[in-house]
Amino acid sequence: MDKPILYYWAPCETCSVVVNFANEHDIELDKRDVEQEEPYQELLELGGNADLIPYLYDDGQLVNGNDAVIEYLTRKFL
């Protein structure tokens, strides 16, 4: 099974909420820092906006924002 992709920015305090949640619950994420050009372009192609991170991409859908991402991860993995 492919890991969900988390588009985030490493220094972002908001993004760290999702990263910490995933770590605490042993949920493996493919973390891609949008400060790098390739992940940034991937996110744009998926219809995301790097100014509104974090985003989670899984099963063909793009989920935006801490609350929505944590809710999604909880439903799928816990």
Side-chain angles (χ1 to χ4, degrees):
M1 178 170 84
D2 289 337
K3 295 184 269 187
I5 300 169
L6 178 67
Y7 292 97
Y8 78 117
W9 182 46
C12 172
E13 290 182 23
T14 302
C15 297
S16 69
V17 172
V18 172
V19 172
N20 291 336
F21 177 85
N23 289 341
E24 288 170 11
H25 296 283
D26 295 320
I27 300 170
E28 289 189 46
L29 299 175
D30 178 353
K31 295 185 278 243
R32 300 186 185 179
D33 191 336
V34 296
E35 189 169 24
Q36 306 300 317
E37 185 64 25
E38 188 173 332
Y40 175 78
Q41 291 301 325
E42 286 175 15
L43 179 59
L44 293 181
E45 289 173 16
L46 291 170
N49 177 341
D51 292 331
L52 302 175
I53 53 176
Y55 280 93
L56 185 78
Y57 183 73
D58 190 45
D59 291 335
Q61 66 181 15
L62 195 59
V63 180
N64 177 238
N66 280 347
D67 293 343
V69 169
I70 288 172
E71 181 181 320
Y72 179 88
L73 293 173
T74 299
R75 273 196 326 263
K76 183 162 183 178
F77 295 102
L78 303 181

